[in-house]
């Protein structure tokens, strides 16, 4: 429902990227020990974030899953192969706080995902999300923009253009 995702979907459907060749997603943030006990707000004391049984997993299932969904939605492709590594580096519990994935889509395109709660010095999460194809490149990292070799939305081919609405 986010405006930048809807605009990106429309551009892809209009052929701005051509055949999808790849995706790249990075999500990194600094996670204080208090997060694991009471979340970002600090309002509710609970150990569910550190438990596989209660949470189902760490950063992959709580944050990165949404971006995997975006990849599938935007590209219209299904993931057919995955190689992944995960680690519990700083979490006080048993869930992963870092994950790296390589995926292959059903058209042969490749994608990468790196997510970690263990990146110090970030005042807010660092997110990078890109998709590219035979005819263009789309950045869903502010400032949202696209590049296409095709005439799309009356935008000059071969140049970067703003995606439109700049929602966070």
């Amino acid at each position: 429902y986010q405006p930048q995702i809807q605009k990106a979907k429309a551009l892809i459907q209009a052929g701005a990227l051509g055949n999808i060749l790849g995706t790249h997603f990075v999500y990194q943030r600094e996670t204080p020990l208090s997060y694991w006990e009471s979340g970002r707000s600090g309002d509710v004391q609970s150990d569910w974030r550190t438990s596989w049984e209660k949470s189902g997993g760490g950063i992959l299932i709580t944050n990165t899953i949404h971006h995997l969904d975006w990849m599938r939605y935007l590209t219209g492709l299904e993931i057919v192969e995955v190689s992944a590594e995960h680690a519990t580096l700083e979490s006080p519990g048993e869930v992963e706080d870092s994950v790296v994935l390589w995926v292959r889509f059903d058209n042969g395109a490749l994608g990468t995902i790196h997510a970690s709660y263990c990146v110090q010095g970030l005042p807010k999460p660092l997110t990078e999300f890109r998709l590219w194809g035979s005819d263009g490149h789309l950045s869903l990292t502010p400032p949202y923009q696209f590049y296409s070799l095709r005439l799309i939305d009356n935008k000059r081919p071969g140049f970067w253009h703003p995606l439109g609405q700049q929602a966070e």
Side-chain angles (χ1 to χ4, degrees), residues 7 12 32 40 62-63 67 71 85 112 120 132 138 141 158 164:
K7 179 63 175 176
I12 292 168
R40 288 270 164 218
T62 57
N63 291 100
H67 298 91
M71 281 182 187
E85 291 290 335
T112 59
Q120 301 302 313
W132 59 92
L138 176 68
T141 304

Side-chain angles (χ1 to χ4, degrees), residues 36-82:
W36 299 103
E37 300 165 353
S38 56
R40 288 270 164 218
S41 68
D43 293 339
V44 179
Q45 294 293 315
S46 175
D47 67 346
W48 72 266
R49 288 173 189 81
T50 62
S51 167
W52 279 102
E53 183 179 342
K54 294 177 183 178
S55 69
I59 194 167
L60 180 62
I61 197 71
T62 57
N63 291 100
T64 311
I65 195 72
H66 304 293
H67 298 91
L68 277 166
D69 187 41
W70 284 1
M71 281 182 187
R72 292 178 58 235
Y73 172 72
L74 289 170
T75 65
L77 302 172
E78 291 297 330
I79 296 171
V80 296
E81 188 177 350
V82 176

Side-chain angles (χ1 to χ4, degrees), residues 91-160:
S91 162
E94 57 194 15
V95 298
E96 86 282 351
D97 54 25
S98 298
V99 64
V100 177
L101 291 90
W102 166 90
V103 300
R104 181 180 303 277
F105 294 94
D106 55 5
N107 75 338
L110 300 176
T112 59
I113 298 165
H114 175 263
S116 180
Y117 285 144
C118 304
V119 181
Q120 301 302 313
L122 295 176
K124 63 180 187 174
L126 173 73
T127 303
E128 182 179 16
F129 189 25
R130 297 179 175 275
L131 298 94
W132 59 92
S134 56
D135 294 329
H137 183 165
L138 176 68
S139 173
L140 289 169
T141 304
Y144 309 115
Q145 56 186 341
F146 75 99
Y147 174 96
S148 185
L149 297 175
R150 298 180 180 189
L151 178 65
I152 302 289
D153 281 352
N154 293 317
K155 303 291 186 200
R156 188 173 170 195
F159 290 88
W160 283 95

